[in-house]
């Protein structure tokens, strides 16, 4: 099926859906096939490629149906926040699918809400299913446990809280609307790449509803661009490209991944051979081994050579930009709008002109068709090779300047690399990652501890997709927030490699505020006992190591058995309390300057 | 100072405050004393008896001022949910004071919100201070980390979420209003015993404001009852008491503790000698060793003798009732309104008649004065002694029927006893607790894992108040949610005794739903390694034990060194997977019946 045909098919599916919502509802015929509300939902999830659902038991939810489902697994987490983080990680690795987290209402959903907010902020499609009391109880409002007592009732309070961090909500109060409501929130989830919220009353879980709608898959394609406006936009862009006289670069960012235009961008790249750079949040959207890839642009914090290439280009084709503080070197982009075309999921900017409704998913293939004529000229442009050598340092201690390039040599094709907000996310920026590797970090929302739950979800998805090793970098302070999820990794027989940077506290916080303050200290842990304490009771499922100097680090990274990642492994990396990656130090200094200004 | 004088003084303070709010504001004189906004807030907290503040560092908050404060300690928690739980525990033990939790915005506050919701539900005074970006940034809205990205901005989203679970919110956007706003939310917090929310922009933290208002303490006394209505209510109650012909009992519940009428109730009890029973959430509101105390009433789940005494009484004086499902034996109270007088913090019910605005704090002393004439008659009434013998069981295994009465013998005067929702909170109900002991459980909101953070806060408060040992009962499943806070206990050199009931999973969930389901299983941990792994690196600060049979349990409980609680101790109590306390089993059965009905 070629692209045009598949676009048409998608539009047909979308229209059928709209039609179904208007006509089928409330007209079940007696002899048609029925299915429970839970199984309807699970079938939809299966259609979206969901194989695992994360959550914590609570008395009001649908987990029997999940446990009994032949192709969907229940992954029991240690707590709800971690479950939400895991669903986010699963969705990030399993592109085109979604993450799902199930909790009970009140206590469960509010414990998870920060994970959902992170998915909202960073545009990750996550469905939060909340088991709630029966529809009768929701009306009569008895003083049930998990409620806010005589003050407020959950449907008033909890749903309002959820509305703040999800794009769409459905309360299944009536089986007649269950199927359309489920389809509505799921469609919002996949088309907007943001979290949605669904409450499932206990008495709704097993209700029988017609299964007919399941025959039509949920529509994925965004609404068509207005053809006249789109044609105009294309013409304007081509004029700018023409005027730029080959001095054009592509700058790729987070939304290219989230809004699923990787393939379109790679096609543009292959056909135009424009040099491409990436923002931190766009890292690995384009292969960092691609010969037209020049590295990470992060405003004034960039490598000077990269900074110059990007900022002096006559035209920047920015794709999926997400200009948050840490993603832009604290707002130090020096790219005038007059030199910029920005493609977004739902609008386009050409210099100062805004074109709402012109989305990149459908625009990009047409743009590529128009721009491929520039290939020959663009190919002449020199792109600096993105590389980072391991420095020679006489000091035996493991420094950030040594550590990050050194682990860079350890990575392999198809590895999934997760970096915690802080020293890890900043340290790894300068490290080129291998082709087909996946990079996960929460650079915008920046909730510390996120990576631990996220690694669980990522590892489950990586197993599904037959990806390589899952490698987590997390600081000692951050690991303390969510440490129990190591237990679920053991329970699920996952085998990530976990590098714990032990530097006596919250290093990013020290750099942002209070370098020598006691509140940035933490209690030291016996890091290498964590895996055995939290589940590997006989010590056969895991291995733990401490490395205190460069030689031990090198030896471990060169060890083939370690590199094979056959069991879960934890490496405590002892580093200096005040040692900090270059990019983080620079970002913290800029942050302090910004704060002074206001 | 007698009662009448102190009431008058309180009213004078309250009126002065109202007056100040109207007049002082915005009229600072040049030579008056100034103080930073942070120190203003800390001084108010100190006036309320706050000695410790819980939280997690984040780049936007006031923790320097806390660390530098000579009489208030910063307690760094492992994560924000635990910090909120700790603030709740601190407030519960330190009656008349409040709990305080400090987080950064977005990631921090949303991680804590479930703890705040629990405090709302169970009426615990907690102040949540949220460090937010500068007032300028809040207006210009740059895409900062911790925000919801290009979708929504925190002041729109996060504050709306907070509004659902706090009774009062203040955004300090302007130093002119800072003092009145701080005073307003703190007054709401202490008078309504519910959480409040305060955002503190980075540039507001160090602003200078007049300190004059600090001279007048915050008003605590509730507004006066309307004298005519109050007199009428008193007369009505006296008539009913008279007609009841000595067959009167008092039923005490949670709100008597939360709304600070313990002393008033004890005075009523001493002067009338009416028999008194307690709902589960009112446990220890009246000493369980009091000779007029008959035990726990929990509807149809009650001990039959207690059930009969309560339900056949001609008049029930209910004080501070909170009729939630688990607190009432799943709504099985059999007490007709016609036999009931209910006293609440802000209203009174006499049979079916409602008297809004007539609050118990001021009503109770008057009621006592009217009812003391009935003492002689009431004294004749027999009250069954509340006791629970350790049963003789030939089985060596540790059963719930054995365990709870056995630990009952271990408790001492002034112990603080914390019981997790589930087997622990139900198991301990039947156990008489010693005089002056404090009982903590989250029976209404029921967020599992709550006790671990709560124990931290309770232990800090207990140290302040020179109380006895802090003893936690928590299940293996629940401990997994919040386990890292054991580390903070070690860091703070606290010495609680932690009984971990290891019964292979979520026992309360099994009883409520899915007895044999896999989703109620958990990964087993090496429980006795937790304390060393999470901070007691050389093993000198803690001790851990496993008890698998009655004899080992008895031996440990009889060990004087253990009982002294000189260091933090963890006891893994191995129990049967399906063994369940009587009251929990009964509640689960009733819950299932209720669910079928709807």
């Amino acid at each position: 099926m070629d692209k045009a045909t598949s676009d048409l098919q998608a539009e047909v599916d979308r229209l059928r859906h709209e039609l179904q919502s208007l006509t089928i509802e409330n007209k079940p015929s007696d002899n048609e096939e029925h299915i429970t509300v839970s199984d309807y939902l699970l079938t939809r999830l299966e259609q979206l490629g969901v194989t695992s659902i994360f959550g914590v038991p609570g008395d009001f939810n649908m987990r029997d149906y999940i446990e009994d489902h032949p192709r969907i697994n229940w992954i029991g987490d240690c707590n709800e926040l971690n479950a939400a983080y895991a669903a986010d990680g699963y969705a990030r690795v399993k592109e085109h699918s979604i993450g799902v987290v199930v909790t009970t209402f009140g206590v469960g959903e509010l414990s998870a809400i920060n994970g959902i907010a992170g998915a909202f902020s960073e545009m990750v499609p996550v469905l939060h299913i909340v088991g709630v009391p029966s529809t009768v109880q929701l009306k009569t409002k008895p003083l049930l446990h998990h409620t806010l007592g005589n003050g407020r009732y959950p449907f008033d309070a909890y749903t309002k809280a959820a509305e703040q961090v999800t794009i769409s909500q459905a309360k299944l109060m009536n089986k007649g609307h269950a199927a359309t409501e489920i389809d509505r929130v799921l469609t919002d989830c996949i088309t907007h790449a943001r979290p949605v919220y669904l409450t499932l009353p206990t008495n709704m879980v097993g209700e029988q509803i017609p299964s007919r709608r399941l025959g039509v898959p949920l529509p994925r394609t965004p609404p068509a661009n207005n053809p006249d406006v789109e044609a105009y936009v294309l013409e304007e862009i081509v004029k700018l490209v023409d005027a730029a006289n080959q001095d054009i670069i592509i700058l790729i960012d987070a939304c290219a991944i989230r809004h699923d235009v990787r393939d379109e961008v790679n096609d543009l790249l292959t056909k135009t051979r424009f040099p491409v750079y990436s923002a931190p949040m766009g890292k690995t959207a384009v292969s960092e081994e691609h010969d037209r890839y020049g590295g990470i642009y992060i405003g004034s914090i960039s490598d000077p050579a990269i900074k110059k290439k990007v900022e002096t280009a006559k035209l920047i084709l920015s794709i999926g930009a997400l200009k948050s503080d840490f993603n832009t070197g604290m707002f130090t982009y020096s790219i005038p709008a007059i030199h910029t075309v920005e493609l977004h999921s739902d609008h386009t900017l050409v210099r100062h002109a805004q074109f709402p409704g012109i989305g990149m998913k459908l625009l990009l293939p047409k743009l590529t068709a128009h721009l491929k004529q520039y290939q020959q000229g663009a190919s002449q442009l020199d792109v600096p090779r993105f590389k980072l050598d391991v420095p020679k340092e006489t000091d035996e201690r493991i420094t950030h300047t040594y550590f990050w390039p050194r682990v860079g040599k350890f990575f392999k094709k198809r590895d999934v690399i997760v970096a915690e907000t802080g020293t890890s996310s900043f340290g790894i920026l300068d490290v080129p990652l291998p082709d087909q590797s996946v990079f996960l970090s929460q650079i915008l929302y920046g909730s510390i501890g996120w990576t631990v739950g996220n690694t669980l979800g990522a590892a489950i998805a990586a197993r599904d997709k037959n990806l390589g090793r899952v490698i987590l970098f997390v600081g000692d302070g951050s690991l303390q927030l969510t440490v129990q999820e190591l237990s679920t990794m053991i329970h699920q027989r996952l085998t990530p490699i976990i590098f714990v940077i032990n530097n006596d506290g919250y290093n990013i916080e020290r750099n942002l505020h209070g370098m020598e303050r006691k509140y940035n200290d933490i209690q030291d842990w016996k890091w290498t006992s964590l895996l055995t304490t939290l589940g590997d009771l006989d010590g056969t499922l895991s291995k733990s190591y401490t490395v205190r100097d460069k030689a031990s680090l090198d030896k471990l990274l060169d060890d083939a058995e370690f590199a094979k990642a056959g069991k879960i492994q934890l490496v405590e990396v002892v580093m200096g309390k005040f040692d900090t990656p270059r990019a983080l130090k620079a970002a913290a200094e800029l942050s302090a300057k910004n704060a002074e200004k206001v």
Side-chain angles (χ1 to χ4, degrees), chain A residues 108 115 119 192 232 291 319:
Chain A
H192 298 286
Y232 179 81
D291 69 338
I319 303 176

Side-chain angles (χ1 to χ4, degrees), chain A residues 33-317:
Chain A
E33 266 187 57
H34 279 61
I35 188 170
T36 62
V37 169
S38 294
D39 282 325
Y40 183 95
L41 175 54
L42 291 172
T43 307
R44 278 297 191 212
L45 295 178
E46 198 184 352
Q47 290 175 353
L48 294 176
V50 171
T51 57
S52 292
I53 290 179
F54 302 87
V56 176
D59 42 334
F60 305 106
N61 69 37
M62 63 176 276
R63 59 206 183 281
D64 285 11
Y65 290 86
I66 303 172
E67 186 165 313
D68 292 340
H69 195 284
R71 287 169 306 277
I72 294 182
N73 297 313
W74 169 260
I75 310 291
D77 290 84
C78 288
N79 66 39
E80 292 89 352
L81 179 59
N82 289 348
Y85 286 162
D88 174 308
Y90 181 88
R92 286 182 193 236
V93 171
K94 210 156 168 183
E95 290 173 32
H96 314 291
S97 185
I98 67 170
V100 184
V101 53
V102 178
T103 68
T104 193
F105 79 114
V107 296
E109 60 181 306
L110 293 183
S111 293
I113 198 170
N114 182 53
I116 305 297
F120 184 96
S121 173
E122 300 229 337
M123 282 172 280
V124 182
V126 169
L127 166 67
H128 186 180
I129 302 172
V130 179
V132 299
S134 75
T135 49
V136 175
Q137 288 172 320
L138 290 169
K139 284 167 194 155
T140 57
K141 303 190 188 343
L143 196 48
L144 298 178
H145 58 291
H146 303 341
T147 67
L148 289 177
N150 56 4
R152 289 172 201 168
Y153 209 69
F155 259 37
D156 176 33
Y158 302 150
T159 309
K160 275 194 188 153
E163 282 167 7
Q164 310 308 318
V165 298
T166 54
I167 47 156
S168 199
Q169 306 82 32
K171 307 173 191 175
L172 298 194
M173 293 296 282
N174 145 1
K175 69 174 183 171
H177 297 136
T180 38
E181 283 294 278
I182 289 171
D183 287 359
R184 177 176 64 79
V185 293
L186 286 177
T187 304
D188 284 344
C189 184
I190 57 179
T191 54
H192 298 286
R194 281 209 146 127
V196 297
Y197 175 86
L198 179 73
T199 63
L200 202 52
T202 39
N203 61 330
M204 209 45 77
V205 167
E207 282 285 352
Q208 295 282 336
I209 56 172
S211 61
R212 190 157 22 135
R213 291 177 65 95
L214 292 169
V216 183
L218 294 175
R220 277 196 167 276
T221 340
N225 293 332
N226 175 310
D228 294 342
V229 181
E230 188 181 64
Y232 179 81
V233 166
L234 282 167
E235 201 177 308
E236 290 293 297
I237 298 177
V238 172
K239 268 192 235 164
L240 291 177
V241 169
D242 219 50
N245 197 19
Q246 319 294 1
D247 196 2
I248 295 158
I249 63 128
I250 296 171
L251 181 57
I252 193 159
D253 204 344
C255 296
I257 305 173
R258 304 291 194 270
H259 291 286
D260 191 24
V261 297
R262 258 181 218 261
D263 291 347
E264 288 80 356
V265 170
N266 272 300
D267 197 44
L268 172 70
L269 199 55
T270 309
K271 292 188 177 148
T272 65
R273 296 194 53 74
F274 290 152
V276 59
Y277 297 85
S278 172
M281 291 179 75
K283 194 170 170 75
T284 71
V286 161
S287 168
E288 294 201 299
E289 291 186 358
H290 196 290
D291 69 338
R292 304 305 288 161
Y293 179 73
I296 301 287
Y297 175 66
I298 175 172
S300 70
I301 301 176
S302 313
D303 171 284
I306 294 173
K307 180 171 153 64
K308 195 174 163 203
K309 287 276 182 191
V310 172
E311 295 181 354
T312 60
K314 288 225 180 67
L315 184 67
I316 292 137
L317 281 180

